[in-house]
Amino acid sequence: MGRLHVLAAALPLLLIAAVSAERSNNDLLSGYSTPMEGSMAHKFFALAADQAILANATTSQVSRSQRVGDDDEDHPVYDDDLCDRDLIRIRDAIANTEEWALEFPDTWGRLPMGLFWGHTISMGQYEECVAATNTYGDEIRGQYCLATLNITMFYKDVKKRGEEFQSSRISYKQTDPEIFELGICIPSTCRPKKTDALLKDVISHFYGDDVVSMDVDMVTQTRCKYDAPITLRGIDIFAIIFFSTIVFFMIASSVYDYIQTRKKAPKRPLLIAFSVLHNAPKIFTVKKVNNPNVIHCLNGLRCFSMMWVVFGHGYMTFYDLPHINRNKFYTWVETPYSMLVQNGSLCVDTFFFMSGLLMCWGAFRELERTKGKLNIPMMYFHRYIRLTPVVAVVVLYIMSLYKYSGEGPMWFKLGTQDKRCEDSWWATLVYIQNYAYPYHICVSQSWYLAVDTQLYFLSPLFLIPLWKWGKKALIPISIFGLICLAGTFITFMLEDFTLFRVQDDHVDLRQKMTYYPTHTRIPTWLIGVIFGYFLFTRNRGRQIPLAKVWVVVGWTVAFGTMLADMWGPYWRILPGTPNSPLIEGALFEPLSRSSWALSIGWIVWACYNGHGGLINDFLSWSFFTGFSRLTYCMYVIHRIVQLVNAARLQTDTHFSNYDAILRWWHDFGITLTASIFATLAFEAPILGIEKAIFGGSKSPPKKPSPGDLAKSAAPEVKEAAPTASDPAPAPVSGSSATVETEAEITPSPGSTTEELSKV
């Protein structure tokens, strides 16, 4: 009698397999995607229900209850018995064409279309799946999972194109796809491990064992999600209270500021620190200042470099999107346009150059004001207190509210920033993440802040000798810079790093050893320091005349060098070009950075001395002055905006430059808006509080005599505000005249390099 029950239970399973064997043998990779009963999704529920019936007939209740805890997925909703019940009910309701049940297979991703153009994901309908629920009886809810199918077995049998295929696209990164990701919808009571077994059975029954590898997990807990009540953690509650408190302070401070203004009564600096009415004009109000301590063209350079950073990082994220033509990337990298991204890291060297220049200029102004005394502890304190609040807020957001910022199939793949911060958050707040956690930096772009801060802390080793001994100190400083250049060269040679990053098989190691380390960035920064020394001691307050022919030569050499740094190696990436020798990449990496910095130095010098013409007029445009006050916050925030926007996607995209630029504007606009809020809520208030606590404005430095020029001084790189014309975030305080003299030359938020901290 028992055997009869087993045969009766197995009969539907055998019948389904026999009827659909011929029709569906090759459906998995043929593009067959009918939403009706012949689709894989419908077959899944039919076969899963039959297996559940068979299991119920052959397994005792005791053994089934023991199976409930078989795996390590401790979850209150998962239950094997309820899963089997729900699968049977869905199968029966589908046969009865009930809408609620049809939603389950309807939300599944359809099998490959565009697979041979790199389209290796079919997400299905995430929102429809997690919202799916039955209309009667015990509740059945949908659970979305992004299954990973290993298709190497299928693809190895594909007969590749002939040689003409190889000439149509580069081959060094062109590899056969290994996985296909498929969105599936199952009852929320089904464990991922059980679903994984069922999915493998379905594929094996209908498509055989020679298409998809059955040796790896297809469905995992980390890639499954169903609609569940939000449970706030302690850090989430703290973040909500913190951000609410900041908004309250902004409102209360603005109301106080407004009332005192109407009454024409004096205002307490601490009480207006958070006032939007007080801080906003410092961002958006621009006054043209004719001051020898102002290098106006730096604002334009800073803004364009910031836009370039967002542009380059945008392409990095854009590549990871679910493009229906993803293989177009392999021909895109052959285009001259792509070099703007591939060599886009040169904009980092612009920032390091400006950081060194402004740090030297600012420190010399302070040394001049204090007659050669530099309060190093206070200089470090000001730097940290002005740089850290915005970074700390972003870290707090990532570790708390970030996980609630989006959901969906791409969130499983890209929405993982909070995981990177679990161990490395503290290193980000003390600016050592580039050495401590180079493989998973919490705020990925904050490696620059770490390098810039470390260089700032080392700066007295260079500033004091320059102040005391002048040009005599340049020799050891230059030798030290050359040693650092040689270090990068030797690292490339020993580690076999290639000319192009996209060609390298060890990109993470390359970043760790030659991109993130402070010692590899010292040469460019020192060029800025040396340039700032000569500009301050020999050039401040006057314009050096230069014959027109030499001006033309200077601009030609500068632009020619920049073009060579950007597009010089382009021919090496073309398909018919032989691979570059190891030494070529080892020389190009350090020398391109240094030569780029020297070219930027010419632009700054020419514009400051009246040889910039239209270029100086454009870079010194007052619009860039206001914009530059937001660039520090933009740098810290933009990457999170890009990742959230990308991870929230639930539909396919298309790879093209036009689509990338549209996405850039999208990301840039949101970043700009968020940066305005961050500047008003965190950066500007900190400057106001600092000024209220540590003292008011300092009188502008006296006009130096020619003899004093060699020893000019600059505020502790911190006290002065930043940028080339006013404090970047708009310092706190006093008269506009004071702001104009103290914040003109220092980088962004108060520190000589704060705004520079943007790359």
Side-chain angles (χ1 to χ4, degrees):
M1 190 70 173
R3 291 182 181 176
L4 191 58
H5 282 304
V6 172
L7 290 174
L11 186 58
L13 179 64
L14 297 174
L15 188 59
I16 292 174
V19 169
S20 57
E22 180 178 357
R23 177 180 172 189
S24 60
N25 189 45
N26 295 311
D27 283 350
L28 181 63
L29 295 173
S30 66
Y32 181 74
S33 59
T34 172
M36 305 311 291
E37 64 214 31
S39 71
M40 179 177 168
H42 286 76
K43 293 172 184 176
F44 174 88
F45 287 103
L47 182 59
D50 291 333
Q51 288 188 350
I53 294 173
L54 180 61
N56 286 329
T58 58
T59 307
S60 69
Q61 214 38 46
V62 174
S63 63
R64 285 185 60 74
S65 64
Q66 290 174 344
R67 283 195 298 116
V68 171
D70 272 352
D71 54 39
D72 55 0
E73 294 162 3
D74 184 17
H75 203 287
V77 176
Y78 294 149
D79 186 294
D80 286 352
D81 290 326
L82 295 180
C83 175
D84 290 343
R85 180 205 68 183
D86 294 344
L87 289 170
I88 295 171
R89 288 182 59 191
I90 291 173
R91 190 272 312 266
D92 294 341
I94 289 175
N96 197 36
T97 62
E98 297 180 28
E99 183 179 3
W100 72 265
L102 290 170
E103 286 181 345
F104 281 84
D106 181 56
T107 62
W108 278 49
R110 300 305 184 241
L111 297 179
M113 66 180 174
L115 178 67
F116 298 103
W117 269 55
H119 186 218
T120 56
I121 184 172
S122 183
M123 294 180 284
Q125 233 293 15
Y126 173 85
E127 290 186 349
E128 182 183 4
C129 174
V130 296
T133 183
N134 61 322
T135 54
Y136 59 87
D138 295 330
E139 184 180 53
I140 301 176
R141 299 196 65 85
Q143 175 181 199
Y144 180 94
C145 293
L146 188 63
T148 303
L149 283 60
N150 187 313
I151 59 174
T152 53
M153 296 175 61
F154 164 79
Y155 218 91
K156 72 179 181 180
D157 295 328
V158 174
K159 296 176 178 60
K160 308 299 190 299
R161 295 173 185 261
E163 288 301 315
E164 74 281 358
F165 174 80
Q166 296 299 330
S167 64
S168 66
R169 66 183 75 177
I170 60 178
S171 60
Y172 54 76
K173 282 289 185 179
Q174 179 75 45
T175 57
D176 293 342
E178 297 181 354
I179 63 170
F180 178 78
E181 294 172 301
L182 178 69
I184 64 175
C185 189
I186 55 175
S188 61
T189 52
C190 294
R191 298 173 182 273
K193 284 189 177 180
K194 180 180 178 67
T195 305
D196 179 70
L198 291 173
L199 184 60
K200 288 178 179 177
D201 286 344
V202 171
I203 294 174
S204 178
H205 274 86
F206 295 107
Y207 310 122
D209 296 327
D210 57 349
V211 175
V212 176
S213 173
M214 302 294 173
D215 298 329
V216 295
D217 291 338
M218 297 181 185
V219 183
T220 60
Q221 174 70 50
T222 56
R223 290 198 170 194
C224 287
K225 179 74 182 296
Y226 62 89
D227 193 15
I230 295 177
T231 302
L232 294 177
R233 302 163 298 172
I235 193 171
D236 302 332
I237 296 173
F238 171 78
I240 292 172
I241 294 174
F242 172 77
F243 288 117
S244 300
T245 301
I246 292 297
V247 172
F248 171 78
F249 283 168
M250 294 173 69
I251 295 173
S253 184
S254 298
V255 170
Y256 169 80
D257 190 5
Y258 176 77
I259 292 174
Q260 295 299 96
T261 300
R262 290 293 300 269
K263 293 165 60 177
K264 297 183 179 180
K267 306 170 186 177
R268 296 190 177 185
L270 279 176
L271 297 183
I272 61 171
F274 285 88
S275 171
V276 175
L277 300 178
H278 178 72
N279 294 325
K282 295 179 179 179
I283 300 175
F284 302 109
T285 302
V286 177
K287 285 206 238 170
K288 190 72 174 176
V289 180
N290 186 15
N291 188 301
N293 289 318
V294 178
I295 305 177
H296 294 287
C297 66
L298 291 182
N299 290 324
L301 289 172
R302 180 178 292 113
C303 293
F304 273 103
S305 296
M306 184 66 249
M307 289 188 284
W308 195 0
V309 168
V310 178
F311 176 78
H313 286 165
Y315 261 97
M316 289 168 55
T317 307
F318 188 61
Y319 171 73
D320 291 326
L321 300 187
H323 300 303
I324 60 175
N325 61 334
R326 188 172 182 177
N327 282 359
K328 289 291 286 184
F329 168 79
Y330 299 106
T331 52
W332 174 82
V333 294
E334 298 174 1
T335 63
Y337 177 84
S338 73
M339 303 306 291
L340 289 171
V341 179
Q342 296 193 61
N343 282 332
S345 61
L346 289 171
C347 65
V348 177
D349 299 296
T350 301
F351 281 121
F352 279 121
F353 170 83
M354 290 194 295
S355 175
L357 185 160
L358 293 173
M359 186 277 304
C360 182
W361 185 295
F364 270 34
R365 284 182 60 197
E366 181 66 11
L367 288 166
E368 182 183 66
R369 187 182 68 84
T370 60
K371 296 181 171 44
K373 296 178 181 178
L374 198 61
N375 189 339
I376 295 178
M378 189 58 69
M379 165 178 151
Y380 290 163
F381 172 77
H382 284 312
R383 162 76 181 195
Y384 185 83
I385 203 66
R386 293 190 176 190
L387 203 65
T388 305
V390 176
V391 177
V393 166
V394 172
V395 171
L396 174 62
Y397 165 74
I398 292 174
M399 297 184 69
S400 58
L401 305 181
Y402 172 78
K403 65 179 295 185
Y404 308 111
S405 301
E407 59 183 356
M410 293 303 296
W411 196 266
F412 296 139
K413 296 158 64 70
L414 299 178
T416 58
Q417 285 297 299
D418 52 335
K419 304 299 181 186
R420 298 168 65 99
C421 287
E422 288 178 350
D423 298 323
S424 62
W425 63 270
W426 64 271
T428 303
L429 297 181
V430 295
Y431 304 105
I432 60 171
Q433 64 270 37
N434 59 323
Y435 286 109
Y437 294 95
Y439 292 127
H440 50 104
I441 297 174
C442 178
V443 183
S444 58
Q445 73 279 18
S446 69
W447 70 268
Y448 173 87
L449 301 181
V451 174
D452 197 43
T453 299
Q454 291 162 24
L455 289 172
Y456 185 80
F457 273 68
L458 292 173
S459 63
L461 298 177
F462 305 98
L463 293 172
I464 295 174
L466 279 173
W467 175 259
K468 287 187 175 181
W469 302 304
K471 290 188 291 185
K472 293 179 182 178
L474 293 178
I475 296 176
I477 289 175
S478 300
I479 292 175
F480 181 68
L482 291 174
I483 291 174
C484 293
L485 280 176
T488 302
F489 172 84
I490 293 172
T491 302
F492 261 70
M493 295 296 292
L494 293 178
E495 299 295 336
D496 296 337
F497 294 142
T498 59
L499 176 62
F500 290 101
R501 192 173 285 105
V502 294
Q503 290 176 314
D504 217 314
D505 293 327
H506 309 286
V507 175
D508 289 342
L509 180 63
R510 177 188 179 124
Q511 298 289 91
K512 173 188 174 182
M513 299 189 70
T514 68
Y515 196 78
Y516 297 149
T518 300
H519 59 271
T520 65
R521 298 296 180 172
I522 284 178
T524 302
W525 181 78
L526 282 180
I527 290 173
V529 172
I530 295 172
F531 187 87
Y533 167 77
F534 281 107
L535 192 67
F536 188 89
T537 60
R538 302 282 188 263
N539 203 171
R540 187 173 67 144
R542 68 191 184 96
Q543 291 188 343
I544 298 176
L546 191 65
K548 220 173 239 189
V549 61
W550 293 113
V551 171
V552 173
V553 169
W555 281 105
T556 302
V557 171
F559 280 147
T561 301
M562 297 174 79
L563 290 173
D565 292 336
M566 181 67 65
W567 281 283
Y570 165 66
W571 69 284
R572 281 290 191 186
I573 207 167
L574 298 177
T577 305
N579 290 332
S580 61
L582 198 59
I583 193 171
E584 186 174 329
L587 286 172
F588 180 80
E589 184 79 3
L591 294 182
S592 63
R593 294 174 181 176
S594 300
S595 58
W596 181 272
L598 290 171
S599 299
I600 295 296
W602 164 263
I603 294 175
V604 174
W605 184 88
C607 291
Y608 187 77
N609 285 280
H611 307 306
L614 291 176
I615 295 176
N616 180 52
D617 292 341
F618 181 67
L619 293 177
S620 303
W621 184 22
S622 58
F623 169 79
F624 292 134
T625 302
F627 185 14
S628 67
R629 295 167 185 162
L630 300 170
T631 50
Y632 174 64
C633 286
M634 290 186 68
Y635 180 76
V636 177
I637 292 171
H638 79 278
R639 198 77 184 102
I640 292 302
V641 171
Q642 290 175 332
L643 290 170
V644 168
N645 288 344
R648 289 175 56 86
L649 278 176
Q650 297 183 25
T651 57
D652 292 332
T653 52
H654 182 265
F655 185 91
S656 72
N657 289 323
Y658 182 77
D659 291 289
I661 291 172
L662 286 180
R663 180 160 288 276
W664 177 82
W665 277 110
H666 177 217
D667 294 338
F668 189 82
I670 296 177
T671 299
L672 181 62
T673 303
S675 298
I676 292 174
F677 173 79
T679 301
L680 294 174
F682 307 108
E683 192 177 10
I686 287 296
L687 291 171
I689 294 171
E690 182 190 34
K691 187 155 193 175
I693 294 175
F694 291 99
S697 60
K698 299 179 288 189
S699 58
K702 63 177 183 177
K703 200 115 172 166
S705 65
D708 293 330
L709 284 175
K711 306 188 161 186
S712 308
E716 347 149 289
V717 166
K718 298 337 346 317
E719 269 212 70
T723 55
S725 79
D726 287 295
V732 271
S733 114
S735 72
S736 57
T738 302
V739 168
E740 286 160 1
T741 49
E742 293 201 36
E744 330 124 81
I745 243 334
T746 346
S748 149
S751 138
T752 71
T753 49
E754 251 145 334
E755 189 123 66
L756 302 177
S757 312
K758 358 190 74 249
V759 178

